[in-house]
């Protein structure tokens, strides 16, 4: 089965073609980062309009990259939520219309299920069951994954998501949007031992997260060392970035090990934008090896939003016989745990 995947939930337009026998045939991505940079964050209306401009050219590009025609496509998968409503509507309307025009089934995919399954696109894919750490700009969740659609929430952030915390801390250091990768790069120049930032909610049992206190701690440290222009000197900025990254990574690692133990699993999957973070990957690999556990993650480009993960998740669901109705339904808010398996199993 050959499935066209469309991702438009936020500020990336992603399109891909996945074949259940041959694997990923083609994928393209257009990032709107430049469009939103002047505003310091995503402007929803601008995002929707840009998806309208970019989506069909990207579909054509994927078809030409893979030497395919619409006749070769057996189904269309689009992100149906969670995300920005206007942005979601663009992908859903286009995807549903193409499927209707081509006479093939369509399926609306949960964006976080796409992230969660993305490591399965790699050569050495993880096998169910596993614990997943989903860390993106909007979500920080630990999920026990027994199979497709069989998700039990073990813990989540009570306030900011990890990616959001990275972005906000980056802003305090005057780094451009999106700040996560920029803060991580700056942290490499810093001394992670000069400051010690708190590891929120690690001193008590449980698997929930909270990053807002860490954010305040970062702001206070920046203010304390600020020079006349409102920012600390370059080295201090790098040291703060390093201390912040250490605190987030350490907190995530502690909770992942706790979650694996609690769920009785030996495999951890990390996905979502923050799973691109090098320190997080290194630390998890080292610490989980000590516990006899292994960690899987997508290649760098599939950590952040992309069409490949949507094509893949859609293919699994279409193969299982699931179909979207003709009406176009998107859900800006959509808890992952509302999903069910192929046969409606929980
Ligand atoms: O999954 P994603 O592309 O979009 C959402 O669904 O939210 O995640 C984007 C988030 C942003 O907050 C970005 O700053 C963060 O992932 N991010 C990183 C890194 N790369 C992306 N955070 C820390 N280190 C990175 N290397
Ligand atoms: Zn995402």
């Amino acid at each position: 089965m050959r499935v066209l995947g469309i991702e438009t939930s936020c500020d990336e337009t992603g399109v891909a073609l996945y074949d259940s026998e041959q694997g990923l045939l083609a994928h393209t991505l257009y990032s709107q980062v430049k469009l939103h940079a002047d505003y310091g964050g995503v402007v929803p209306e601008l995002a929707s309009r840009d998806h309208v401009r970019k989506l069909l050219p990207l579909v054509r590009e994927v078809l030409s990259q893979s030497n395919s025609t619409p006749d070769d496509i057996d189904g269309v998968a689009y992100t149906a939520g969670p995300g920005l409503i206007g942005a979601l509507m663009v992908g859903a309307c286009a995807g549903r219309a193409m499927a209707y025009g081509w006479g093939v089934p369509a399926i609306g995919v949960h964006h976080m299920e796409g992230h969660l399954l993305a490591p399965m696109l790699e050569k050495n894919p993880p096998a169910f069951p596993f614990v997943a750490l989903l860390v993106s700009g909007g979500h920080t969740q630990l999920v026990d994954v027994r199979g497709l659609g069989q998700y039990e929430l073990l813990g989540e952030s009570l306030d900011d998501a990890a990616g959001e915390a990275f972005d906000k801390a980056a802003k305090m250091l005057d780094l451009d949007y999106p700040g996560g990768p920029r803060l991580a790069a700056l942290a490499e120049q810093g001394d992670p031992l000069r400051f010690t930032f708190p590891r929120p909610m690690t001193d008590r049992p449980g698997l929930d997260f909270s990053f807002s206190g860490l954010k305040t701690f970062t702001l206070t440290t920046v203010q304390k060392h600020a020079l006349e222009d409102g920012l600390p000197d370059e080295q201090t900025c790098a040291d703060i970035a390093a201390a912040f990254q250490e605190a987030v990574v350490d907190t995530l690692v502690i909770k992942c090990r706790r979650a694996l133990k609690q769920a009785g699993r030996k495999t951890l999957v990390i996905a979502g934008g923050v799973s691109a973070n090098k320190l997080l990957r290194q630390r998890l690999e080292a610490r989980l090896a000590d516990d006899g556990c292994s960690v899987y993650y997508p290649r760098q480009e599939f950590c952040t939003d992309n069409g490949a993960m949507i094509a893949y998740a859609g293919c699994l669901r279409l193969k299982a016989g699931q179909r979207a109705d003709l009406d176009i339904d998107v859900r800006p808010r959509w808890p992952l745990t509302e999903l069910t398996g192929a046969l409606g199993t929980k």
Side-chain angles (χ1 to χ4, degrees):
M1 175 179 263
R2 201 167 276 197
V3 177
L4 182 75
I6 295 171
E7 157 62 33
T8 63
S9 67
C10 190
D11 59 347
E12 333 261 13
T13 322
V15 179
L17 195 59
Y18 179 82
D19 185 292
S20 52
E21 305 302 316
Q22 297 170 40
L24 191 62
L25 300 179
H27 64 97
T28 55
L29 186 82
Y30 176 80
S31 170
Q32 303 179 349
V33 161
K34 281 205 193 95
L35 176 72
H36 303 291
D38 288 348
Y39 305 92
V42 179
V43 183
E45 183 57 27
L46 294 182
S48 313
R49 290 173 191 219
D50 213 35
H51 287 308
V52 171
R53 276 191 287 271
K54 298 297 178 343
L55 183 55
L56 292 181
L58 290 184
V59 171
R60 284 191 200 102
E61 198 179 318
V62 155
L63 289 177
S64 109
Q65 262 183 32
S66 58
N67 283 324
S68 312
T69 69
D71 286 344
D72 301 319
I73 292 172
D74 303 306
V76 179
Y78 52 84
T79 305
L84 302 170
I85 186 155
L88 290 168
M89 282 302 288
V90 176
C93 291
R96 194 67 199 82
M98 281 186 267
Y100 185 74
W102 297 338
V104 296
I107 185 84
V109 170
H110 192 291
H111 180 80
M112 297 314 289
E113 178 170 78
H115 275 306
L116 190 154
L117 298 174
M120 293 189 166
L121 286 161
E122 301 308 321
K123 277 205 189 89
N124 172 28
F128 297 124
F130 51 76
V131 167
L133 172 71
L134 299 175
V135 266
S136 70
H139 293 81
T140 301
Q141 296 183 322
L142 275 163
V143 185
D144 187 38
V145 179
R146 278 176 288 128
L148 180 69
Q150 295 180 285
Y151 309 133
E152 186 192 337
L153 187 66
L154 301 172
E156 64 183 332
S157 178
L158 305 176
D159 39 58
D160 292 353
E164 194 181 355
F166 262 99
D167 293 339
K168 287 178 178 168
K171 223 173 195 172
M172 293 171 200
L173 295 170
D174 202 29
L175 301 173
D176 286 341
Y177 160 87
R182 290 194 164 90
L183 185 139
L186 180 64
E188 286 187 15
Q189 320 298 319
D191 170 6
L193 301 175
R194 178 168 163 204
F195 301 106
T196 305
F197 282 25
R199 273 65 171 155
M201 296 181 73
T202 51
D203 55 353
R204 63 189 100 154
L207 294 170
D208 286 333
F209 304 88
S210 164
F211 292 107
S212 71
L214 184 57
K215 191 177 63 186
T216 312
F217 196 92
T218 309
L219 183 63
T220 317
T221 313
V222 169
Q223 284 168 345
K224 207 162 117 191
H225 293 84
L227 305 174
E228 272 137 39
D229 64 354
L231 273 182
D233 63 73
E234 252 175 65
Q235 188 56 50
T236 304
C237 283
D239 295 343
I240 291 174
F244 173 86
Q245 179 174 246
E246 281 286 332
V248 175
V249 166
D250 207 24
T251 305
L252 293 173
V253 172
I254 291 170
K255 295 285 164 102
C256 284
R257 296 177 79 193
R258 213 180 264 181
L260 285 164
K261 210 167 166 193
Q262 183 179 311
R265 308 279 183 228
K266 288 282 177 201
T267 308
L268 178 79
V269 159
I270 56 169
V274 183
S275 69
N277 187 277
K278 266 196 260 165
L279 187 71
L280 177 64
R281 291 174 174 216
Q282 282 165 7
R283 286 285 163 78
L284 278 172
E285 274 179 17
R287 301 309 300 274
L288 294 196
D290 294 345
D291 299 342
C293 296
S294 36
V295 57
Y296 293 81
Y297 36 76
R299 70 192 83 162
Q300 286 277 339
E301 62 185 320
F302 293 164
C303 286
T304 43
D305 294 348
N306 64 85
M309 66 185 196
I310 303 303
Y312 179 73
C315 185
L316 292 192
R317 290 198 169 267
L318 285 168
K319 277 192 97 171
Q322 295 190 344
R323 305 282 183 263
D325 290 334
L326 275 183
D327 52 339
I328 296 161
D329 212 6
V330 295
R331 293 188 58 182
R333 288 176 182 275
W334 186 5
L336 183 70
T337 45
E338 280 185 18
L339 295 182
T340 56
L343 303 169
T345 43
K346 260 293 189 195

